[in-house]
Amino acid sequence: MALRTPPSRRQLLLAPVLIIIIAIFILLSVFSSKYTDLLWFRDVSRNSQADFTSVFSIRLQTQLVLFLAYGALMALIVGLNIWVAYRIRPPYRPHSLEQENLDRYRSVVEPHARSIFVVLLTGLVLISGSSGTGSWRTWQLWLHKQPFGVQDPVFHRDISYYAFTYPLYRQVVGFAFGAFFFATLAAIATHYLFGGVRVQTQGDKVIPAARAHISVLLGVLAALKAVFYWLDRSGMVFSNRGSVTGASYTDVHARLPVLLLLVLAASLCSLLFFANLRSRGFLLPGVAFALLVLSSILLGFVYPLIVQTAQVRPNELKYERPYIGRNIEATRKAYGIDTVQTAPFDAAGNAQLADLLAPGSNLEHVRLLDPNKLKATFEQLQAIRQYYGFAKTLDIDRYAGADGQTQDFVVGVREVDLSKLAADQKGNWLNQHVLYTHGTGFVAVPTDAVTADGKPAFAVKDIPTTGFLKIDEPRVYFGELSPNYSIIASPTSGEVDGLQDVSQGVGYHYTGPAGVSLGGIRRLLYAVRFREPNLLISGAVGGNAKILYGRNPRDRVQQVAPYLKLDSDPYPAIIGGRVTWIVDGYTTSA
């Protein structure tokens, strides 16, 4: 018989040491991510003359509270029910093959029950808490809710209820249902492991204490389902069943009464489960539950489908007319055009060709150039260096041209594009993050101007920039093609600027106010954030060097204004002699 050598003291210490190292790395990673985010918000606030750090702090505080609350509640609900199931386990179990098999598992679990319990609850806290942090917007909207002063036409509630309160109710009830669902599964598993539930044993399959415990949990789930059905009534204002968004004929005349019946059915099912505390079986509540499932399918899905298909769709205009009218009215109010006065317009006219071609006519500046098709042309004629490029879609802006007349221009920014570096340059960290840091210049061409050979007639072009627009600062450090991060103001390494020849050395050093200083422990934190050891060991990161990151205009605005719905395409303009990015943002709701 072979004898196993007992583990040495070093081997026994290895596992705890590894766990501590992993925990330190995780904590350092989380801390570096959050702290560098704070530094970014401070940098943006300093350079925009507005305090955006409150956005960061409110978001972080809300996420932290929700992480603790959701994690603690999930652990409490599931853990309490596991503890109850374990406490009411039967002291004796009938002899059977099933119990003999379970005895082996019990002999493994019981000596380590406390450790397993702690590990399980810790996992629930992390998973549930992490999912809860994603609802921070919902909670903040609810905390800052304001009345709209307009009621919906179905339930006659202020519309603020649907924008702020209803989403929170759905989120809370959904969390509660999930918590009790997992608690039910965990309780049944615990009862089965310790003999409270006996699937293959003769006699009672479930002992009275376990039956009462499981009945209470199922009753809570049925009650929460009733609340879900009640909330679904209000959720009809978000319906897309009809021709337009909002409650349709089928929703109001078929789903609304059905949902009320389902509320009553789920409530009755819940009461029967609670009443099962005094009975000896699951027959009656089981039948009620089966009927609830069947009725939710037949009444909640099939019946509205029949009404929509057989009654509404053949004569949709007749049935949906009032609901389409409600949608139009709500849309006009939302866009603030409900008070616009309209008058008939006689479209018939007798315009002559000479009138249409006359100066000042509508056809004078018809676009000949499409900004969606000009990227390749701009790069061929105006990139000038291989490492410069233009965004995939160019933009339209309006300026007073050389003749003083305001007209449309296709515009673009000559940005640094690291994807265009040569293959042997891309793998060099200095090239990626220290040398090639910014673009230069602004390009504009009238939408109706082409040269004799069909090329765009550029009105603003080249390096240095020439044209009718005055540009005092041509360097572009923010844009749609900007690198993930760049080291700027490095005292030991200059940046490629304009037409400089890299082979002859580069000497430009950033002098602007943007960027986060890399002094002290910040080098370590950014090295952890970007998983880049060069930030610690490179000489280019010494002295007064700064790091610039989060540089896409749309992403920057989204971070400081998470409550806005942003247009996907920011566009550049020359304002005050500098390239300024403009991002269209909207407050929206469903």
Side-chain angles (χ1 to χ4, degrees), residues 173-186:
V173 176
F175 168 78
F177 189 89
F180 278 98
F181 177 78
F182 286 118
T184 303
L185 294 181

Side-chain angles (χ1 to χ4, degrees), residues 92-112:
Y92 302 102
R93 291 171 287 274
H95 180 74
S96 67
L97 180 61
E98 178 188 28
Q99 294 304 315
E100 288 180 3
N101 292 331
L102 288 173
D103 280 336
R104 292 195 290 270
Y105 293 103
R106 284 191 286 264
S107 64
V108 174
V109 171
E110 285 197 283
H112 309 287

